[in-house]
Amino acid sequence: MGKYTINEFIKQTKQDERESEYFELETPRILEVNLTDFVWAKMGSMISYAGQIKFEREKVLEHGVGMMFKKALTGEGTSLMKATGNGRLYLADQGKKITIFDLNNESITVNGNDLLAFEPTIEWDIKLMKKVAGMMSGGLFNVTLKGKGKVAITTHFEPLTLLVHPGEPVVTDPNATVAWSGHLTPEFRTDISIKTFFGRGSGESIQMEFSGEGFVIIQPFEEVYMAGNGSS
């Protein structure tokens, strides 16, 4: 920002007090939730709120025994909090850019570390990428969301969407891959030539290949995933 008087700064950066959408972007990196019931959000993403809102860590059996075991496998990176009540809730995640999707009986799969919040009307399921678990520290997990409602995801800087066409697979770096069409299932492969060139520890030696028809969202940043954590 430039040079402001205090009043000019307040006018330029103050919150929008008009309530309309359930999810609204107050800034490109701050999500406002106009809460009247409850919302699921990434643990630790609350930066401010106004009103009567109660925060609870996701209970072990909140989503059934099956989900409990999946969460035990994927670690703390999948942890959600439940915000209940009436008021305005502000969410953010490490200054990452926020994108809101309005699903209309559609599905999208999101890297677990890049999921910020979603409406309670959305159905979701955690999936651990088993084939890559032994290749990367802590493996990689994703969350498939479907139904009708809003979903907020985050990216480092501006996202780029790559279109996948039949017979024209798209290959991405797992650490830079944010989300993809819910019906697509990526295959993992190891590029021996790149591994040899960069050394066996190189992340570029592991690749995700998407085939079929759909889209893949990537970011110009490689997040490093650690066991039992989201990213470092």
Side-chain angles (χ1 to χ4, degrees):
M1 288 187 176
K3 187 176 180 181
Y4 297 95
T5 66
I6 290 178
N7 285 337
E8 287 172 340
F9 181 80
I10 292 173
K11 183 178 180 180
Q12 182 74 17
T13 63
K14 70 178 180 178
Q15 69 192 79
D16 184 352
E17 296 183 343
R18 296 168 298 177
E19 294 184 13
S20 54
E21 296 289 331
Y22 182 73
F23 280 6
E24 290 186 347
L25 289 180
E26 276 293 293
T27 76
R29 291 168 174 78
I30 298 177
L31 176 69
E32 177 187 292
V33 182
N34 291 304
L35 198 61
T36 57
D37 186 7
F38 74 92
V39 67
W40 288 108
K42 184 175 183 178
M43 178 66 70
S45 62
M46 185 277 288
I47 58 171
S48 180
Y49 71 91
Q52 300 299 316
I53 301 176
K54 179 181 178 182
F55 299 91
E56 298 177 279
R57 187 186 183 93
E58 182 186 11
K59 296 181 177 64
V60 174
L61 294 176
E62 182 88 42
H63 301 285
V65 176
M67 189 69 75
M68 177 187 72
F69 286 118
K70 289 181 182 181
K71 288 179 66 60
L73 284 173
T74 55
E76 289 301 309
T78 56
S79 292
L80 296 172
M81 66 178 181
K82 186 178 184 180
T84 306
N86 286 272
R88 294 185 178 190
L89 172 63
Y90 296 93
L91 304 174
D93 185 15
Q94 302 180 51
K96 294 164 69 176
K97 182 179 176 63
I98 300 170
T99 300
I100 301 172
F101 293 112
D102 195 353
L103 299 187
N104 185 18
N105 291 320
E106 300 161 298
S107 66
I108 186 171
T109 299
V110 183
N111 183 303
N113 194 54
D114 300 317
L115 178 61
L116 181 62
F118 56 92
E119 287 195 66
T121 54
I122 296 291
E123 297 178 30
W124 60 286
D125 190 21
I126 297 173
K127 295 181 180 179
L128 177 66
M129 299 180 182
K130 297 178 181 178
K131 290 183 179 180
V132 78
M135 304 177 192
M136 301 174 65
S137 177
L140 207 62
F141 67 89
N142 57 64
V143 184
T144 298
L145 306 110
K146 62 181 181 179
K148 297 189 70 172
K150 291 181 171 57
V151 174
I153 70 169
T154 59
T155 58
H156 287 278
F157 311 108
E158 300 295 327
L160 173 67
T161 300
L162 306 174
L163 299 181
V164 183
H165 300 291
E168 301 176 17
V170 170
V171 179
T172 65
D173 181 338
N175 290 327
T177 306
V178 176
W180 54 92
S181 305
H183 62 277
L184 292 182
T185 302
E187 290 292 328
F188 290 89
R189 69 186 193 188
T190 303
D191 191 314
I192 301 299
S193 62
I194 295 181
K195 175 181 284 189
T196 302
F197 183 76
F198 286 100
R200 295 186 63 82
S202 171
E204 283 79 4
S205 64
I206 306 166
Q207 302 168 349
M208 297 174 74
E209 182 176 278
F210 296 86
S211 300
E213 189 168 11
F215 64 86
V216 182
I217 302 172
I218 59 174
Q219 62 184 359
F221 185 92
E222 294 183 50
E223 292 183 287
V224 179
Y225 302 92
M226 304 300 291
N229 205 343
S231 64
S232 63

